[in-house]
Amino acid sequence: MIQAFYTGVTGLKSGQTAIDVTANNISNVSTLGFRANRAEFSNLFEDAVSSASSPNSSTIGAGTKIQANSMVLENGAYSLSDRSTDVAIEGSGWFGVQGKYGPEFTRAGNFTFDADSGLVTPDGNYVLGTMADNINYENSTLTNTLNEVSLGNVEQSEILRFPQDLTHPGEASTYAKFYGNLDMNQEDGIAKIGASVIDSNGDKNALNLSFKKSQNQPQEGSSWEVSAALSSLNGETLYDTKTGTVMFDGNGGLISSTLTTMDNNGSELEIDLGSDFNGITLSADSPVTASSESDGTLKGDLAGYDINRNAEVVAMFSNGVQSSVGQIGVYHFQNDQGLERSGNSNFRPTSNSGDPFFMQDENGENTVGAKVMTYRLENSNVAMEESLTQLIVLQRSYDANAKSVTTADQMMQKALNMDA
């Protein structure tokens, strides 16, 4: 009777714990990145009712206990988002955030940029990763355009915070190529064509060419004088002027040009008029036409930050240039079950989980080791239908254990009243 009483009590205690775990799962069914727990039971020690040498040896159990409260590791369902800073991990791995007492790890990727352009969680914890070494913080300029950023070592993880004002300095044009047609029968008129080029300051300048038929013409073909002027776009500053001679063959194809390079406000600019019929040509009784192409990039101001599919933070500029400036870390553990909950869907590492580490590719380079999806959020992995069914089973178990305690109590009362 006494054993039945204590067996029922252990069942009540374990059942209540399991109900609490299941109820907590259900209450967090809408929590982003939540990992459900599962209560696992085991029996207590048992008393032998016959000797071990007996062919019918058996035991009577002494109740149950909660053996473990294990984490459910299956991924939750993914939902669409309208923010590029919302990211989700497909597969294993955790985002790292700077908690109050040290690094913490979460599956919730509902990040945003705060007023200081730091990548943070809704509760203000900075996201951890690797900053690219391509920003000059003294003058707030981008020093190098990067397509990707390599993860540093885990021990070197840092908070991802970026300057609010950032400028892409632009890239100077190295060449300007012209295409078009000059009128062979033009005598006194001047044909003008132009192009826009970028100087070393990232500013747009104007390059204007003027063509005039030479007074002294060769016996075969045609000779033209060309004058070039390179100035600021408003024309107030003149950077360079050059003159040259352009020779055409009898069919109007370009043979040669002595106009080669110009000073583009401190950078050298190659003038390419083409050759043969690829570039400037000459024909009779045709209107002057012209077009041009050049390289270079204008100076641009920061338009905002974004996150791409490689979990990289990308700076976007008004001139259309994009550059990676940071890499969000995706951390892994030898034993995810050993992580300790710290609230807000966050976990702390323990001696059972081991220290966080980065996956490595075949070249030994650190990598995220998982697919990171943008415009996605991972929901709770709580299966509502399974949890409700489990809750009913636990309730029935709790009622049965309560009944066994009541029965044991009634039997004890009868035994005590036998002397009456």
Side-chain angles (χ1 to χ4, degrees):
M1 289 183 292
I2 294 178
Q3 185 169 341
F5 182 83
Y6 285 109
T7 298
V9 170
T10 60
L12 288 175
K13 183 178 179 181
S14 300
Q16 181 61 61
T17 300
I19 290 174
D20 293 341
V21 171
T22 305
N24 183 64
N25 290 341
I26 294 174
S27 67
N28 284 282
V29 70
S30 298
T31 302
L32 291 175
F34 182 80
R35 282 289 185 260
N37 275 41
R38 182 185 293 117
E40 298 179 359
F41 294 84
S42 68
N43 63 321
L44 293 172
F45 58 88
E46 299 186 359
D47 291 332
V49 296
S50 59
S51 65
S53 60
S54 172
N56 297 319
S57 62
S58 60
T59 59
I60 296 178
T64 185
K65 66 177 180 177
I66 296 294
Q67 177 67 27
N69 186 20
S70 61
M71 185 195 312
V72 178
L73 296 178
E74 287 80 4
N75 292 348
Y78 298 97
S79 60
L80 289 172
S81 169
D82 58 356
R83 298 191 312 175
S84 63
T85 54
D86 287 339
V87 290
I89 301 172
E90 183 178 0
S92 63
W94 303 82
F95 296 119
V97 298
Q98 184 61 45
K100 184 176 181 181
Y101 301 106
E104 297 181 352
F105 302 89
T106 181
R107 294 281 298 191
N110 52 332
F111 305 140
T112 187
F113 288 99
D114 63 8
D116 297 325
S117 296
L119 190 62
V120 297
T121 63
D123 50 352
N125 291 332
Y126 283 100
V127 180
L128 298 176
T130 300
M131 293 287 294
D133 188 21
N134 63 342
I135 296 178
N136 185 332
Y137 287 90
E138 292 184 1
N139 54 15
S140 297
T141 59
L142 190 75
T143 60
N144 189 19
T145 301
L146 299 176
N147 294 323
E148 61 181 17
V149 178
S150 300
L151 276 173
N153 295 327
V154 171
E155 297 78 11
Q156 298 172 334
S157 295
E158 55 192 323
I159 63 175
L160 298 179
R161 180 186 290 167
F162 308 93
Q164 292 179 290
D165 297 319
L166 188 62
T167 301
H168 183 272
E171 298 174 0
S173 300
T174 61
Y175 76 92
K177 183 171 183 178
F178 292 86
Y179 304 88
N181 178 72
L182 301 179
D183 185 0
M184 182 184 301
N185 296 325
Q186 179 177 325
E187 296 294 340
D188 299 327
I190 297 177
K192 295 183 178 182
I193 59 178
S196 295
V197 293
I198 312 300
D199 65 18
S200 57
N201 295 324
D203 296 323
K204 183 183 292 186
N205 294 331
L207 172 60
N208 294 303
L209 304 183
S210 299
F211 294 85
K212 184 177 181 179
K213 198 171 184 180
S214 303
Q215 291 183 353
N216 298 322
Q217 292 293 317
Q219 291 183 354
E220 294 184 4
S222 181
S223 173
W224 290 64
E225 304 298 327
V226 57
S227 299
L230 209 164
S231 65
S232 59
L233 202 60
N234 57 15
E236 294 181 356
T237 304
L238 183 64
Y239 298 116
D240 194 12
T241 58
K242 288 285 178 66
T243 58
T245 302
V246 181
M247 299 295 296
F248 298 92
D249 62 21
N251 296 321
L254 184 66
I255 299 174
S256 65
S257 171
T258 60
L259 183 64
T260 56
T261 61
M262 297 189 71
D263 178 13
N264 183 21
N265 191 20
S267 62
E268 186 177 272
L269 180 71
E270 178 185 353
I271 308 299
D272 185 1
L273 300 182
S275 63
D276 200 9
F277 291 95
N278 181 22
I280 300 298
T281 61
L282 188 65
S283 62
D285 300 323
S286 297
V288 175
T289 60
S291 63
S292 64
E293 66 176 35
S294 61
D295 60 351
T297 305
L298 281 171
K299 179 172 60 178
D301 296 323
L302 181 67
Y305 294 102
D306 207 345
I307 300 176
N308 65 14
R309 295 181 179 180
N310 297 324
E312 294 172 326
V313 180
V314 178
M316 301 175 295
F317 298 90
S318 58
N319 58 0
V321 173
Q322 297 183 6
S323 174
S324 295
V325 291
Q327 170 75 63
I328 298 174
V330 177
Y331 300 81
H332 301 265
F333 293 89
Q334 292 291 348
N335 177 27
D336 288 350
Q337 292 284 1
L339 293 171
E340 179 184 50
R341 291 184 184 272
S342 59
N344 296 327
S345 297
N346 292 355
F347 292 80
R348 285 191 292 262
T350 66
S351 57
N352 290 328
S353 67
D355 294 328
F357 63 89
F358 289 139
M359 292 291 191
Q360 292 186 334
D361 59 18
E362 60 276 8
N363 299 320
E365 298 292 334
N366 292 331
T367 179
V368 294
K371 181 180 178 182
V372 177
M373 300 179 291
T374 57
Y375 295 96
R376 296 287 192 280
L377 287 173
E378 182 182 359
N379 297 311
S380 168
N381 68 347
V382 175
M384 178 62 79
E385 62 282 0
E386 178 183 343
S387 296
L388 291 176
T389 301
Q390 183 68 15
L391 195 62
I392 294 173
V393 172
L394 292 172
Q395 182 182 6
R396 297 292 176 82
S397 174
Y398 190 89
D399 292 341
N401 279 289
K403 184 64 176 177
S404 68
V405 171
T406 302
T407 301
D409 180 63
Q410 291 174 350
M411 294 175 63
M412 187 176 294
Q413 290 295 329
K414 289 182 179 181
L416 294 175
N417 294 332
M418 289 178 63
D419 294 338

